[in-house]
Structure formats: structure tokens, C-alpha cells
Amino acid sequence: MNISKSHFRFTAITLFPEMFTAVTEHGVVGRAVKKGKVCVDLINPRDFTTDKHRTVDDRPYGGGPGMLMKVEPLQKAITSAKAIEPGTVIYLSPQGQRLDQQLAYQLSQKSHIILIAGRYEGIDERLLVEQVDMEVSLGDFVLSGGEIPAMALIDSVSRLLPDVLGHNESAIQDSFVDGLLDHPHYTRPEIYHDAEVPPVLLSGNHRQIETWRLQQRLGRTWLKRPDLLAKKALTSQEQQLLEEFKKQHRI
Ligand SMILES: COc1ccccc1CNc1ccc(C(N)=O)cn1
């Protein structure tokens, strides 16, 4: 594995390192890892235990159900991650800042992100305060661990790194970066279950096609995510396209 110039490092601290093959061995991120553009190091706190049973969980002060991640193995894992290369420590938790495309872009400007994937009911608050730079959440729901959110973050950030996406894959990025949803997509056959492809897409008139796609993005954002639209200043052309879309969709 060669280390290329624009080299980005993720370190995931996790009790289930084997889960991460989902991103390190598949798809565009898997290829980026293989090409040495992205490096994903995996550190298991269990490797820093000293007791016979290799204990990684501990009981919560104050009682109550559930366990917490044991402090010492986790602390040692974080220290070893920082020893590889100083980095931004991100804890995936329901209490975190919502991950979105804008945050993914911000994170893609860094060079090393250390991800703590919590298990059980989480981690000791003192360790969090002392070691965590940023808490990030995928959304308002609870998972059994932070591994899936960590992999989502690795994937969303890696796609934004130079040379990770081929030129014909990067289009999808634009449709989110300017705050609109994507337009509908069509491929062969021209007639599928009696439904046809919108004729404009077969016209070869690229300016008309781009206008149609913009109108679809504006209209679908209006229909499905008016909250996103409210945050976006529209040009007069965009406002006109949206008005026309609304007329066609007057329910
Ligand atoms: C009970 O689990 C926890 C409790 C506290 C912290 C972490 C965990 C691990 N679970 C997670 C992690 C992240 C998200 C998210 N919404 O991003 C959802 N669940």
C-alpha cells in the first residue's frame, strides 16, 4: 500500500474492528484505501486490557441499567492513536452535532480524524471532556454502537477528497453542496413498465436538459424538504422555474 501525496488518515477506536471492512474493502472508499489515498487504522481498546478476562466495560457510578466503556483501555487506545499522528478526536453519539454535507466538507480539510465508536451506554464524561474535540451524530436515533456512524463519516468525508471519486462520480456531490435535493435519474430501457423517460432527456439539447434538471431539483426540494429551500437564496431564474413547477404540481 503506497502513501500518496494527498493522504488522509482515519483512526477508528472500536471493539469491533472487523465491521470496518464494509468501508475499507468495498466501493470507492475501498479503492481509495487500496490506492493509498485514504488510510483507515483500527485500534481495539481490548488490546490495552491487562486483566485475565480482557474487560472493556465497567459499571456506572450511581447504578442504573447498562455498562460504560472502561476508562483505562479506552484512554490508552486514544493515546496510541494520537501517537501515530495528532488528530481531531470525534465521538459518535446521539448528543452530537448533526452530520451533514457541510460538516463532511469541513472535516475533509483535516488530515487525521480519530473516531471513537462507543458501545454499551457510552463513555465516562471526564474522558469525553478531556479527549473529545467534537461529538457528531447521524440523527436522532440510538444504535448499539458508534461503528455505523463512524463508517458513514469515513465514507462521506472520503468521497470529498481529491482523486477519490472519478470525474463521472463527483456530480452527485454538487446536488447536495448547493443545498438542493437531486433530480430524478433515468437509464435504459426507454419504456419501462409502460412508463417513458422524460422526452427532454432524449433531446440531446444539453441546455434544456440542465434547466429541466435544475427545475426538478428545486421542485423536489420544495415538495420533500421545504426546510432546505427556506435556507437557500434563489436567483430570479430559479424562482421562475420553481413557480412553473408549482403550477404543474398544484394539488
Ligand atoms: C447507546 O449507544 C450509545 C450511547 C452513547 C454514545 C454512543 C452510543 C453508541 N450508539 C450510537 C452512537 C451514535 C448514534 C448516532 N445517532 O449517531 C447512535 N447511537
Side-chain angles (χ1 to χ4, degrees):
M1 183 267 291
N2 70 321
I3 302 287
S4 75
K5 57 189 183 325
S6 63
H7 172 255
F8 198 101
R9 183 188 298 274
F10 296 97
T11 302
I13 295 174
T14 170
L15 294 173
F16 298 105
E18 63 281 357
M19 287 179 72
F20 284 78
T21 55
V23 289
T24 59
E25 295 178 9
H26 301 81
V28 287
V29 179
R31 283 202 297 277
V33 169
K34 202 173 172 126
K35 285 188 282 185
K37 294 185 185 316
V38 169
C39 173
V40 180
D41 292 328
L42 301 166
I43 297 179
N44 189 339
R46 198 177 294 277
D47 295 339
F48 296 91
T49 56
T50 51
D51 64 308
K52 183 161 90 84
H53 299 291
R54 308 189 76 207
T55 309
V56 289
D57 61 344
D58 211 340
R59 295 173 55 227
Y61 283 119
M67 300 290 274
L68 293 173
M69 293 185 78
K70 189 173 174 60
V71 168
E72 192 192 25
L74 183 54
Q75 173 56 62
K76 287 179 178 173
I78 297 169
T79 303
S80 73
K82 289 182 171 179
I84 295 171
E85 178 186 350
T88 303
V89 179
I90 294 180
Y91 179 47
L92 291 306
S93 101
Q95 283 77 37
Q97 172 185 351
R98 191 69 175 272
L99 180 64
D100 58 15
Q101 197 65 16
Q102 191 179 356
L103 178 54
Y105 266 102
Q106 288 162 3
L107 294 175
S108 69
Q109 308 308 310
K110 300 186 181 296
S111 57
H112 185 201
I113 294 177
I114 299 168
L115 297 164
I116 301 175
R119 282 273 157 174
Y120 314 111
E121 300 313 306
I123 67 176
D124 185 287
E125 187 68 10
R126 293 161 298 176
L127 197 151
L128 197 160
V129 166
E130 183 189 87
Q131 295 293 335
V132 171
D133 299 310
M134 192 180 199
E135 280 187 276
V136 172
S137 170
L138 278 199
D140 296 333
F141 48 87
V142 179
L143 300 169
S144 312
E147 283 81 10
I148 290 172
M151 285 186 269
L153 188 149
I154 290 171
D155 192 295
S156 63
V157 171
S158 297
R159 294 171 58 85
L160 299 172
L161 301 176
D163 309 326
V164 168
L165 288 185
H167 65 282
N168 61 4
E169 295 164 301
S170 57
I172 188 75
Q173 304 305 332
D174 312 336
S175 68
F176 277 90
V177 73
D178 68 2
L180 294 176
L181 299 183
D182 206 3
H183 56 73
H185 297 271
Y186 299 85
T187 186
R188 292 177 299 177
E190 268 190 47
I191 309 285
Y192 174 74
H193 291 186
D194 299 331
E196 65 174 24
V197 171
V200 67
L201 298 181
L202 307 175
S203 69
N205 181 326
H206 295 289
R207 214 169 53 72
Q208 257 188 10
I209 290 168
E210 285 321 303
T211 304
W212 179 86
R213 284 175 170 168
L214 174 58
Q215 181 174 50
Q216 287 296 312
R217 290 173 54 217
L218 288 158
R220 283 151 69 100
T221 308
W222 170 66
L223 287 170
K224 298 179 182 178
R225 290 291 306 278
D227 59 301
L228 289 179
L229 202 59
K231 284 192 278 185
K232 184 172 172 63
L234 298 184
T235 65
S236 56
Q237 187 215 11
E238 288 168 339
Q239 284 168 16
Q240 196 185 338
L241 287 171
L242 181 54
E243 281 317 306
E244 188 185 328
F245 183 95
K246 289 179 179 181
K247 286 199 187 78
Q248 291 162 12
H249 281 75
R250 214 33 98 204
I251 303 151

